[in-house]
Amino acid sequence: MKKTYVKGLAAVLLMAVAGPVLADNAGPSMTDKPTEAASQMPLGEQVYTTTCQECHMPNAMGAEGAGRYPALAKNPKLAAKQYPMVMVVNGSKAMPSFARQLDADEIAAVVNYVRTHFGNNYKDKVTAAEVKAVLPKTGPYEGH
Amino acid sequence: MSDKASTGISRRELLMMIGAMAGSATSYNAMASMGLVEESRFNGPPKLDGDPKGASVLILGAGIAGMVAAMELRNAGYKVKVLEYNSRAGGRNWSIRGGDVYTELGGATQHCEFDKGLYINPGPWRLPYNHHGILDYARRLGVRVEPFQQLNFNAYVHSTQAFGGKPQRYREIQTDYLGHVSELLSKVTQQGKLNEMVSKEDEASLLDSLRRIGALDRRYRYVPGRESSNRRGFQKPPGGGLDARPIYSKDLTGLSEILKSGLWRSIGAGWSTEFQSTIFEPVGGMGKIGEAFGRELADLIEYERKVVKVHQNRKGVEVTYVDPKTDGNPRTVTADYCLCTIPLSVLSQIDLNINPKMQAAINAVPYAAAIKIGLQFKRRFWEQDEHIYGGISYTDLPIGSIGYPNTDYFQPGKGVLLGGYMFGPNAMKFTAMPPEERVKKAVEYGAQIHAQYPQEFDNGVAVGWHRVPWTLGCFGTWTDELRAQHYDDLCQIDHRFLVAGEHASYIPGWQEGAVTSAIDAITRLHHKVINA
C-alpha cells in the first residue's frame, strides 16, 4: 500500500524524532504488507483501518479518558474538505502530522472515505493534487 | 566465506561499507544534537534551603515527575497535595501482572492471565547505569534492582529477506562483519593506500589492532580457524576426554551476503550510552518504583481526580477536577502554586489561563505511537532449547524485536516474553486492532523466529499507547525545530504555574527526563518562593 520510499522516509523521520527508543530497532520493516483482506479494501478504507482508527476508533466515534479523541462520525467540521485534509497533513496538538507517513493519494483517499462514511455524506472530493499543494515542499529530513 | 570477499574488494562493496559507517555517524550526530548521548545531569537530590513559610504546591499527576517533586517539596517544608487520574501511582512507570485488568480507550478490557510473579512493563523497562536520578530514587525507596541484558550475543538478528528467513545469532553476524571489514582495511593498509592518512609508524599498530578486533589470522585474513571460531563459535566446540578435539566453524558468512541482508543494522543497536552495560531493572517489574513512591506519599496523593481546569490569579491557583468515571461531581482545590506533570497530549485539552507562548508550546508537541505485547508461554523454550538468557532479538518483521526475561533463569514453569515492541506506522496498525488480534499477530510473526511459539503459547496482553486513557500516546515527539520554537516557553514559570515531565526534558521517553525535569522545576520554583 505504501511506496517504499515513503516508508523509508517515515522511518528516517521517526528515527530522528524518537531517537532513544528507535535506536533499538533493526531498521525499517520490509514486510509491512497489507493482509489479503486489507488489500481488497478501497485505499481510503485501508488507510482508515490501519492508521486513523488507532485513535478515532473503528466506528469513528472517538473516545474520552483524561483527554479525548474527537469523533469523526457526523462531524459538521468535515463540511469543508480542506479542514480534514489540513488536519492530516499538519496534525494538531497531540495528533501527529501524516505528511511523511502517507502519500498524497492516501491522504486524499482517506479524507474522501471519512467524508462519505460514518454518517457523513459530502459529495465534493479532495484530489491528490490538492493534497500535494499543501504538503511541505522541503523538510529537515529530505536529504536522507 | 565467499572467494570474492577473501580475494578482493569491489568498489561497490567498499562504497556500501562507507555508507554503513556514514549512516551510523549520521545517527550519532542526530542523537548528539538532541542531547541523547549525554549522561544525566542529575547531581543528587535538590538542596531546597530556606523556609517556604507554609507555601502550598498542588501537583497534577502522580507519575515519576510528580512524585519526585512531591517528595522533595514535602521534605523542604511545603504543603503538598497530588491529584492523580488513575487509581494507582506511577503513571507510565507501570507493570501489568497476572490478575490485573486494563481498559483502554474505546472500551476494550484485557484481563491479564499471567502466572504469579510474571509481568510485562508496557512503558519503561530499563534503568541505564548513567541515569543517576531515577536510580537514586529507586535506591532511596528501597527498590531492589537486577541486571537487564541489553546485548545478548546468542540472541538473534533476523531478516525475512536474508538467509532464507532463518534467524542468525548476533555473535556470528557481528564477528563476520567485523572480520571482513578488518580484513579489507588491512589489505588497503598493506597496499600502502592509506599513506596520506596513516603514518608509517601508526601503520603497524593499525594492522595489529585490526587483527585483534577482526579476529584475523596472522596473515590478516578472516578465515576459518581458532581466531574466528573463538568469536563466532565452533562447528564442534572443544570438550573433555577422547572425543574432545574441536572443529572450527567453516561457514563464515560472506561480506556481500551480510551487507545485502541488512543485519549489520542490528550490530550497533546496543552501543549508545543508554544501552551500554550496566543496565538495571527493578526486581518484580518497573512498576515497583511507582508503587514504592505511592506508599511513601500515601497521605499526599488523591486518586481518581480528572483535572478539567487550572486557573491562576494574584492570590493562588484554582484547580477543578471531576470524577473520571462520570465526569461529574466537580470540585475545586486551591494552592499557592501548581506544578503540572500531565502529558501535553492531555494538558492541551485542559482549560488553562497561562501566557499564550506557553499555551502554544503545550499545543505544539505530537505524541508518539508505541505498543508493547507481552506473551506468556508454557515453558521457557528460549532458554531450554536455544540457550538465550535475557537480551533482545531484532527482526524486520512488524513486531520489531523479542525481549527475553532477564530474571528467574532456569526456572520451571511458564515465562513471559516481550513479543513485540513497535513504533511509528507498525505501532499504529497494531494499536488499531482489537487487543486479542494484536496478540494473535505477534504470535504469528514471532513463530518465524521461534518455531515453538504456536505449540507453547498460553496467553497475552497488548498495550498500544495511543489508546492509553491517561496519556493518549507514549511520549512527546520533539524535533529540533519544535524545540527551537517552543521548548524554553514550555519550561518557564508562568506566575504560579509550571510544568515538569519527560516532555520538559531533552531525554524524551525516559524516566530520567522526568526526574531531572522535576528537580529543575522545583529548584526554580523554590527560588521564586524564597525570594517572593
Side-chain angles (χ1 to χ4, degrees):
Chain A
M1 136 188 175
K2 280 171 227 150
K3 294 184 187 72
T4 313
Y5 73 89
V6 173
K7 236 185 317 214
L9 265 182
V12 168
L13 169 67
L14 279 157
M15 181 70 86
V17 171
V21 269
L22 267 189
D24 240 1
N25 276 2
S29 167
M30 290 183 270
T31 54
D32 184 21
K33 297 191 185 80
T35 61
E36 211 165 286
S39 64
Q40 288 162 5
M41 284 179 189
L43 182 60
E45 187 180 355
Q46 274 184 50
V47 174
Y48 188 85
T49 54
T50 57
T51 310
C52 313
Q53 82 174 28
E54 190 205 13
C55 297
H56 294 285
M57 301 297 152
N59 58 7
M61 291 301 288
E64 181 156 3
R68 71 187 188 95
Y69 293 126
L72 305 178
K74 295 180 188 164
N75 187 334
K77 287 185 178 171
L78 300 179
K81 66 179 185 179
Q82 288 81 9
Y83 178 79
M85 176 177 79
V86 169
M87 272 294 187
V88 174
V89 169
N90 290 347
S92 171
K93 295 187 173 174
M95 175 172 165
S97 157
F98 287 87
R100 286 168 205 286
Q101 186 173 325
L102 302 173
D103 63 25
D105 288 333
E106 290 169 327
I107 292 173
V110 76
V111 167
N112 292 333
Y113 175 75
V114 171
R115 293 181 76 244
T116 52
H117 290 78
F118 310 117
N120 302 310
N121 191 18
Y122 301 104
K123 304 284 184 232
D124 55 330
K125 303 276 187 226
V126 168
T127 65
E130 287 169 313
V131 175
K132 275 183 193 142
V134 294
L135 280 174
K137 299 276 182 299
T138 55
Y141 309 106
E142 286 295 282
H144 289 250
Chain B
M1 182 175 186
S2 79
D3 289 336
K4 192 177 160 197
S6 60
T7 54
I9 172 177
S10 80
R11 184 178 158 74
R12 186 171 159 273
E13 281 168 347
L14 188 61
L15 285 173
M16 281 179 77
M17 266 176 49
I18 292 165
M21 289 171 184
S24 48
T26 306
S27 33
Y28 179 87
N29 288 339
M31 290 175 74
S33 72
M34 296 164 69
L36 295 178
V37 293
E38 296 286 335
E39 287 211 355
S40 168
R41 305 279 290 274
F42 179 78
N43 192 24
K47 292 167 189 66
L48 306 180
D49 300 328
D51 185 1
K53 299 186 192 90
S56 59
V57 180
L58 185 58
I59 295 172
L60 307 182
I64 295 300
M67 294 193 289
V68 163
M71 195 163 114
E72 299 298 350
L73 288 173
R74 178 197 65 184
N75 293 350
Y78 286 83
K79 287 184 212 152
V80 176
K81 183 185 276 194
V82 185
L83 302 182
E84 166 57 40
Y85 177 85
N86 283 316
S87 46
R88 62 166 183 88
R92 281 166 276 184
N93 176 295
W94 180 26
S95 298
I96 296 183
R97 306 187 177 94
D100 287 352
V101 178
Y102 166 59
T103 299
E104 65 180 36
L105 286 173
T109 296
Q110 300 178 69
H111 298 263
C112 179
E113 295 170 23
F114 292 168
D115 274 20
K116 192 173 188 306
L118 302 182
Y119 63 88
I120 178 87
N121 298 318
W125 57 327
R126 291 177 274 225
L127 302 168
Y129 78 94
N130 45 25
H131 283 189
H132 309 301
I134 186 69
L135 281 170
D136 195 51
Y137 284 95
R139 181 186 60 75
R140 284 164 66 191
L141 291 163
V143 175
R144 290 178 58 221
V145 298
E146 61 196 355
F148 175 103
Q149 316 290 343
Q150 170 70 40
L151 177 56
N152 181 340
F153 280 70
N154 206 40
Y156 295 119
V157 290
H158 172 249
S159 166
T160 52
Q161 309 294 307
F163 302 101
K166 189 174 175 288
Q168 307 294 300
R169 301 283 186 176
Y170 174 92
R171 138 176 71 72
E172 296 172 356
I173 293 297
Q174 194 236 32
T175 305
D176 292 347
Y177 177 83
L178 285 180
H180 289 304
V181 170
S182 300
E183 180 181 316
L184 287 173
L185 196 45
S186 302
K187 284 203 170 77
V188 177
T189 308
Q190 287 172 312
Q191 288 163 9
K193 293 185 178 165
L194 297 178
N195 274 350
E196 291 178 11
M197 289 178 275
V198 180
S199 71
K200 213 68 202 158
E201 189 186 358
D202 288 344
E203 208 176 277
S205 297
L206 177 61
L207 283 170
D208 190 29
S209 71
L210 289 169
R211 188 166 61 80
R212 289 162 194 256
I213 282 180
L216 308 182
D217 72 359
R218 269 176 293 175
R219 291 160 61 195
Y220 304 100
R221 297 175 312 172
Y222 183 64
V223 288
R226 187 173 7 147
E227 292 85 357
S228 55
S229 286
N230 273 337
R231 287 276 180 86
R232 77 190 306 283
F234 289 77
Q235 184 180 315
K236 181 186 167 211
L242 188 60
D243 189 32
R245 187 175 299 130
I247 300 174
Y248 295 136
S249 178
K250 295 188 186 72
D251 55 343
L252 311 186
T253 318
L255 175 64
S256 179
E257 198 175 359
I258 291 185
L259 294 175
K260 286 193 184 79
S261 75
L263 291 181
W264 45 265
R265 286 193 189 95
S266 303
I267 293 174
W271 289 2
S272 63
T273 53
E274 275 140 349
F275 299 127
Q276 290 171 14
S277 300
T278 306
I279 306 177
F280 300 98
E281 62 180 17
V283 176
M286 186 58 78
K288 291 286 183 187
I289 297 178
E291 291 157 21
F293 260 121
R295 285 192 298 275
E296 170 74 18
L297 304 172
D299 53 343
L300 303 185
I301 305 174
E302 294 184 10
Y303 293 101
E304 298 179 31
R305 304 281 191 255
K306 174 176 167 177
V307 172
V308 294
K309 185 177 169 186
V310 182
H311 274 207
Q312 50 183 339
N313 55 43
R314 278 195 198 161
K315 290 180 185 164
V317 187
E318 277 187 12
V319 172
T320 306
Y321 63 83
V322 296
D323 179 344
K325 291 195 181 75
T326 62
D327 274 346
N329 197 20
R331 303 278 179 87
T332 297
V333 280
T334 57
D336 296 325
Y337 300 93
C338 176
L339 174 67
C340 178
T341 70
I342 296 172
L344 302 181
S345 46
V346 174
L347 187 58
S348 59
Q349 303 185 26
I350 291 174
D351 180 358
L352 308 170
N353 70 338
I354 53 172
N355 76 63
K357 282 184 168 181
M358 192 180 207
Q359 184 70 60
I362 289 168
N363 291 352
V365 184
Y367 266 57
I371 183 168
K372 273 189 180 170
I373 301 170
L375 304 175
Q376 176 166 282
F377 291 91
K378 294 166 197 159
R379 64 185 182 94
R380 298 169 72 107
F381 58 80
W382 52 93
E383 297 182 356
Q384 294 158 4
D385 304 350
E386 295 162 276
H387 308 290
I388 296 172
Y389 306 96
I392 301 167
S393 287
Y394 293 99
T395 174
D396 69 339
L397 288 165
I399 54 174
S401 58
I402 293 176
Y404 308 95
N406 299 293
T407 191
D408 291 339
Y409 303 119
F410 299 105
Q411 291 306 300
K414 296 175 181 177
V416 170
L417 294 183
L418 178 64
Y421 185 16
M422 290 161 255
F423 299 90
N426 281 332
M428 291 183 184
K429 190 188 254 183
F430 263 73
T431 305
M433 301 172 190
E436 57 277 12
E437 181 77 10
R438 299 170 199 158
V439 169
K440 184 170 162 266
K441 283 277 173 202
V443 172
E444 279 173 26
Y445 284 124
Q448 295 185 42
I449 296 168
H450 294 285
Q452 303 95 325
Y453 259 50
Q455 175 80 24
E456 306 295 347
F457 173 66
D458 195 18
N459 63 71
V461 294
V463 176
W465 279 92
H466 271 157
R467 293 255 180 113
V468 172
W470 32 276
T471 57
L472 312 187
C474 191
F475 59 91
T477 45
W478 288 98
T479 60
D480 288 348
E481 291 70 27
L482 278 176
R483 282 196 192 277
Q485 208 180 339
H486 294 295
Y487 183 82
D488 289 356
D489 293 332
L490 179 72
C491 296
Q492 296 298 321
I493 301 177
D494 183 63
H495 300 287
R496 296 173 176 276
F497 178 86
L498 76 169
V499 306
E502 61 82 20
H503 49 272
S505 81
Y506 270 73
I507 322 177
W510 288 91
Q511 298 177 106
E512 189 70 2
V515 170
T516 50
S517 161
I519 289 174
D520 173 69
I522 59 174
T523 303
R524 284 183 291 121
L525 178 64
H526 180 69
H527 185 76
K528 178 176 172 134
V529 170
I530 292 297
N531 295 300

